[in-house]
Amino acid sequence: MSTTKAYAAQSATAPLAPLSIERRVAGPHDVVIDIAFCGVCHSDVHSARNEWGGTRYPIVPGHEIVGTVASVGSDVTRWKVGQHVGVGCMVNSCGTCASCKEHEEQFCETGMTGTYNSIDKYGDGTVTSGGYSTGIVVNEDFVLRIPEGMPLDRTAPLLCAGITTYSPLHRYGVKAGDKVGIVGLGGLGHMGVKIAKAMGAHVTMISHSASKQADAERLGADDFLLTKEADAFKNNAKRFDFILDTVSAPHDYNAYLGMLRRGGTMVLVGMPDASPIHAGSLVLQRRQLAGSLIGGIKETQEMLDFCAKHKVLSDIELIPMDQINTAYERMLKSDVRYRFVIDMKSLG
Ligand code: NAP
Ligand code: ZN
């Protein structure tokens, strides 16, 4: 065991505060990583505050981890000390079920091991602790290679926000000229705009914040649609081939579905609590509604290589660890440009 500095929430209502945690001794297939930066995902807030239920306290959030390999287990040959690596939302899975064999570990039939708040059933049986800490020990199969030359701080958010938006855009074959709407300009949304643009789509940012228009254009959006404007939904009916909804708060899905053309597809990646869907929103124009969960390890590496090739990085606000509670409050007010990233030097 090694004692590691971390930040944790002790209950759904407690602010995050310093905590020492124990990381396991590296097994033969483990990689020990010194964490340089960790992005702040809205899922961290949902989890710390038990908004999805099932949070185990104390919880150390953080699943957009980048850093340097500090040491490797005796059987690890792929990873070398000093290499730049990343860890996303998963740290293990069974490796033998159909989903794992198809490189979709996020759908592991026995349940993937989340980077935080999961029982480490293929490891030491403890509850996993995430990246708001100075170091982590991860099975070698769940470590990602950070392509040469990518700045680590601006790459951290790709490990969740990047893959979560890349995966559905790629899976549904978004291509040059497609009319794509990205809903919500936050961490996921800003990566969605950049990645859809890199795929050649005509991208419209669909936002409820008028103040984000100039930024949306700077990030690469071709157009900006303010949902608060009178008749916004009516005036844009049947406009899009594909909509990616990244919104973290309850909203009316039916209104957004109405902006899809006949046969168009809307994919939900945002996970607010329930919001009713009317059959007519889908049936009458043979529309499709789907969900998408992060991406497998192979696809995450593919996304990192795609982003390196197309020079796609996150726009970040670097914060010291002790600013995390303020960052959460600002995220809840949609006041994030466009991902908070924790500089872990501030904890070390
Ligand atoms: P975020 O940075 O807080 O961004 C969410 C955005 O949603 C806001 O910036 C805002 O954009 C929009 N929004 C907020 N409240 C709204 C409201 N009442 N009505 C309409 N729009 C609203 O959050 P994030 O980190 O991108 O995460 C977004 C969601 O995705 C969260 O629910 C998170 O848990 C989920 N998530 C899912 C996966 C997955 O695998 N499926 C992975 C990671 C995260 P505007 O100001 O532009 O409207
Ligand atoms: Zn996330």
Side-chain angles (χ1 to χ4, degrees):
M1 295 286 228
S2 70
T3 304
T4 306
K5 287 182 182 173
Y7 251 59
Q10 297 285 353
S11 77
T13 51
L16 277 79
L19 180 74
S20 285
I21 57 169
E22 297 297 329
R23 296 289 191 189
R24 68 172 181 262
V25 172
H29 291 283
D30 282 335
V31 178
V32 181
I33 300 167
D34 285 338
I35 300 177
F37 301 100
C38 184
V40 181
C41 178
H42 208 112
S43 301
D44 300 350
V45 184
H46 292 308
S47 302
R49 300 186 174 186
N50 199 24
E51 288 167 3
W52 293 330
T55 299
R56 300 173 172 100
Y57 293 97
I59 179 172
V60 178
H63 58 205
E64 293 184 336
I65 299 167
V66 290
T68 306
V69 175
S71 63
V72 296
S74 54
D75 290 347
V76 175
T77 53
R78 261 191 296 166
W79 305 109
K80 304 270 175 270
V81 171
Q83 199 173 354
H84 286 165
V85 291
V87 178
C89 302
M90 303 180 278
V91 290
N92 223 329
S93 71
C94 80
T96 57
C97 73
S99 298
C100 287
K101 286 205 166 126
E102 288 166 24
H103 303 286
E104 306 262 32
E105 301 88 353
Q106 72 276 32
F107 303 117
C108 174
E109 283 151 36
T110 66
M112 61 140 161
T113 306
T115 303
Y116 57 79
N117 198 43
S118 269
I119 308 264
D120 195 1
K121 54 181 177 289
Y122 304 106
D124 59 5
T126 59
V127 174
T128 55
S129 290
Y132 296 2
S133 68
T134 51
I136 192 166
V137 182
V138 179
N139 177 285
E140 60 175 323
D141 293 337
F142 288 78
V143 176
L144 283 310
R145 182 177 43 78
I146 305 296
E148 198 78 17
M150 286 181 97
L152 290 187
D153 49 357
R154 296 188 63 196
T155 299
L158 304 191
L159 275 307
C160 174
I163 183 59
T164 301
T165 50
Y166 174 89
S167 180
L169 289 165
H170 182 240
R171 169 165 300 273
Y172 288 90
V174 165
K175 57 184 185 313
D178 282 359
K179 295 192 185 76
V180 170
I182 307 284
V183 190
L185 187 46
L188 266 55
H190 94 291
M191 290 313 308
V193 168
K194 291 183 181 215
I195 291 170
K197 269 310 281 182
M199 291 173 173
H202 182 278
V203 181
T204 300
M205 183 66 233
I206 305 172
S207 169
H208 84 314
S209 306
S211 59
K212 292 183 184 172
Q213 176 157 5
D215 279 354
E217 284 158 12
R218 184 178 54 75
L219 293 166
D222 299 289
D223 201 357
F224 185 81
L225 195 167
L226 182 61
T227 53
K228 277 186 175 159
E229 228 156 53
D231 295 331
F233 291 99
K234 205 168 108 196
N235 293 341
N236 291 283
K238 302 192 199 172
R239 174 170 168 186
F240 297 105
D241 299 306
F242 185 87
I243 294 177
L244 183 64
D245 185 333
T246 77
V247 172
S248 53
H251 55 295
D252 180 10
Y253 291 135
N254 303 286
Y256 294 83
L257 284 167
M259 295 196 288
L260 281 179
R261 66 158 166 79
R262 170 173 54 83
T265 301
M266 177 157 115
V267 176
L268 307 181
V269 289
M271 294 213 284
D273 51 17
S275 168
I277 288 157
H278 306 310
S281 305
L282 299 169
V283 172
L284 298 178
Q285 293 292 327
R286 205 204 290 146
R287 297 179 174 116
Q288 307 177 75
L289 177 63
S292 190
L293 177 67
I294 50 173
I297 294 297
K298 186 166 175 264
E299 193 180 27
T300 305
Q301 189 63 59
E302 181 187 305
M303 175 277 308
L304 285 167
D305 296 341
F306 174 94
C307 289
K309 182 174 163 203
H310 294 273
K311 303 198 180 338
V312 171
L313 289 165
S314 174
D315 282 37
I316 64 163
E317 195 173 319
L318 201 60
I319 57 166
M321 189 71 253
D322 63 8
Q323 289 294 305
I324 189 67
N325 295 300
T326 311
Y328 277 16
E329 289 311 317
R330 283 185 51 198
M331 281 180 90
L332 291 169
K333 289 188 247 160
S334 302
D335 175 23
V336 47
R337 301 198 170 201
Y338 278 90
R339 197 57 135 185
F340 291 110
V341 170
I342 304 158
D343 184 349
M344 223 44 77
K345 276 201 301 290
S346 63
L347 185 59

